[in-house]
């Protein structure tokens, strides 16, 4: 799986011009059909209908692997957008319980509880990866101090990395969505299985 931008037309252009590279071997990717259609819930309960592009690592030097090109606004195997899930994680970092978060977002309490449990399992790895990213993007990153909560520290590190991206490429931090960034650098696996987190190169313009 490879994370790309949310603009399907732009993804098509990048594929056509050979600008997307296989994350395994670096060979240019080619079009290879589509994944199944997905309906993703966004803020306010609206639906975002997405059919992710499939790609293949072609050419004589390619490894032949196929990759789903996942828009950065989504997370793998999640029915809610990265922004909705990120709002839940930020709410938990601020001290809200899963029921209060669920009420604010209009999401089932059991769903939010599942997100927070997954965050707790991966919190230290996420904190480490996004702290490294923030430090790599600038000589003097604005790193948060310890909060006493592993989950809150992970969320703070993600926000710090997004701010570092904004300072380096865009200016105001509000230009960069922290949760699309988090989706991009984890290749959609922000809340994936296991406790390990790997920083992954993506095609997103960050």
């Amino acid at each position: 799986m490879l994370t790309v931008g949310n603009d399907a037309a732009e993804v098509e252009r990048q594929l056509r011009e050979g600008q997307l590279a296989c994350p395994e071997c670096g060979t240019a990717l080619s079009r290879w059909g589509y994944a199944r259609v997905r309906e993703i819930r966004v803020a306010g309960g609206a639906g975002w209908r997405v059919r992710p592009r499939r790609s293949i690592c072609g050419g004589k030097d390619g490894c032949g692997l196929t990759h789903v090109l996942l828009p950065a606004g989504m997370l793998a195997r999640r029915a809610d957008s990265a922004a909705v899930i990120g709002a839940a994680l930020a709410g938990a970092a601020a001290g809200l319980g899963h029921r209060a978060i669920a009420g604010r977002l209009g999401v089932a309490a059991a769903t939010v509880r599942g997100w927070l449990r997954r965050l707790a399992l991966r919190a230290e790895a996420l904190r480490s990866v996004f702290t490294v990213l923030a430090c790599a993007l600038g000589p003097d990153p604005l790193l948060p101090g310890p909060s006493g909560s592993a989950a809150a520290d992970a969320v703070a590190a993600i926000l710090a990395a997004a701010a570092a991206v904004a300072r380096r490429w865009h200016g105001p931090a509000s230009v960069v969505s922290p949760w699309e960034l988090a989706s991009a650098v984890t290749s959609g696996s922000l809340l994936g299985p296991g406790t390990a987190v790997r920083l992954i190169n993506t095609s997103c313009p960050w």
Side-chain angles (χ1 to χ4, degrees), residues 3-11 48 50 70-74 177 180 183 204-206:
T3 308
V4 294
N6 294 321
D7 186 335
E10 176 63 14
V11 172
W48 174 26
V50 185
L70 190 76
M74 300 167 55
S177 164
E180 290 190 0
S183 174
C204 293
W206 299 321

Side-chain angles (χ1 to χ4, degrees), residues 35-202:
R36 66 179 178 83
V37 174
R38 295 177 60 184
E39 191 80 18
I40 304 299
R41 289 189 297 266
V42 297
W48 174 26
R49 189 175 175 82
V50 185
R51 191 182 186 192
R53 187 48 123 154
R54 283 189 181 275
S55 64
I56 187 168
C57 179
K60 64 179 181 180
D61 297 323
C63 62
L65 293 177
T66 61
H67 303 278
V68 173
L69 305 182
L70 190 76
M74 300 167 55
L75 294 177
R77 299 179 179 84
R78 301 290 170 180
D80 293 88
S81 70
V84 169
I85 294 173
L89 305 186
L96 295 177
H98 72 276
R99 289 187 178 86
I101 294 169
R104 287 188 175 190
L105 298 178
V107 178
T111 298
V112 174
R113 184 172 61 238
W115 296 342
L116 302 187
R117 286 177 175 172
R118 183 71 71 181
L119 174 64
L121 288 173
R122 295 166 67 81
E124 177 54 30
L126 288 168
R127 183 203 62 76
S128 177
V129 162
F130 283 94
T131 298
V132 168
L133 177 60
C135 291
L137 292 173
D140 189 23
L142 301 175
L143 297 178
S147 67
S149 161
D153 289 346
V155 169
I158 291 169
L159 297 179
V165 167
R167 286 194 302 273
R168 181 161 178 172
W169 281 290
H170 296 289
S174 60
V175 173
V176 178
S177 164
W179 304 108
E180 290 190 0
L181 174 70
S183 174
V185 300
T186 62
S187 199
S189 297
L190 177 66
L191 297 182
T195 58
V197 179
R198 181 166 63 100
L199 185 67
I200 301 171
N201 288 329
T202 76

